[in-house]
Amino acid sequence: MITHQDTIIQNVFKQLDGLEKIDIYDILLKIETMLMDFKSPIQYEEIKKQIENNSINNISAVDGYGYCYLYDHCRYIKIYKIKTLLPDFLVGEYMYFITPWQLKLMEYTKENLKDFFKGNHLEAITLDFLKKYPPKSKNPVTGRLLLLELLDQIDPE
């Protein structure tokens, strides 16, 4: 017979379906860290409020016509999106990136990625990836950019 706790664990794993193990470990670490700040029993609304407050800290105004926010990241690159007052279907989706080695926002395009990774240890991997996929390709299961998933699998050593 399945216990109540086993049912909860099954429901959690449904949410994690398709993610890499390393991403799941990161999520579990974040959950463990957050649990230290809350009293028992856990109240979902308190957790939701803290997550929303932390998300607001990742938003910056851009020239009075929109805002910039952290979209996704890995150890090698951070991707930002710019949201304007105009709908996306009129102006497109503006994506930019920075890296630990260069903190100037660059437009997230194939050419800029090739130029940036030229001459470093990730050049061959990123060139091969960009020959096969456009930079904005996403994993259909996780919705994450494929380039970031690839870069997450590379050991920095």
Side-chain angles (χ1 to χ4, degrees), residues 49-70:
K49 190 181 292 184
Q50 181 179 357
I51 291 171
E52 288 172 353
N53 288 340
N54 289 344
S55 295
I56 288 172
N57 293 335
N58 291 325
I59 297 175
S60 300
V62 178
D63 294 336
Y65 67 88
Y67 58 91
C68 174
Y69 64 96
L70 181 64

Side-chain angles (χ1 to χ4, degrees), residues 6-95:
D6 291 336
T7 304
I8 291 171
I9 291 170
Q10 285 178 342
N11 290 333
V12 168
F13 272 101
K14 282 182 189 176
Q15 298 296 317
L16 302 173
D17 187 37
L19 291 177
E20 296 291 327
K21 281 173 67 173
I22 189 71
D23 294 329
I24 296 170
Y25 287 131
D26 287 342
I27 291 168
L28 291 174
L29 178 62
K30 188 172 185 175
I31 290 171
E32 284 183 39
T33 305
M34 288 179 69
L35 284 175
M36 288 190 268
D37 296 336
F38 296 99
K39 297 179 208 157
S40 192
I42 296 300
Q43 300 295 317
Y44 171 72
E45 288 301 318
E46 289 178 27
I47 293 173
K48 181 180 172 186
K49 190 181 292 184
Q50 181 179 357
I51 291 171
E52 288 172 353
N53 288 340
N54 289 344
S55 295
I56 288 172
N57 293 335
N58 291 325
I59 297 175
S60 300
V62 178
D63 294 336
Y65 67 88
Y67 58 91
C68 174
Y69 64 96
L70 181 64
Y71 176 67
D72 200 356
H73 70 284
C74 69
R75 79 181 106 225
Y76 299 107
I77 189 170
K78 288 184 178 183
I79 309 293
Y80 290 89
K81 277 191 175 182
I82 292 190
K83 186 74 176 154
T84 65
L85 298 176
L86 299 171
D88 287 343
F89 70 88
L90 288 178
V91 294
E93 184 177 62
Y94 296 110
M95 292 175 75

Side-chain angles (χ1 to χ4, degrees), residues 130-148:
L130 293 170
K131 285 179 187 173
K132 296 176 185 173
Y133 304 100
K136 293 182 182 178
S137 297
K138 293 182 180 180
N139 180 328
V141 175
T142 63
R144 191 160 188 231
L145 292 170
L146 288 175
L147 179 60
L148 272 73

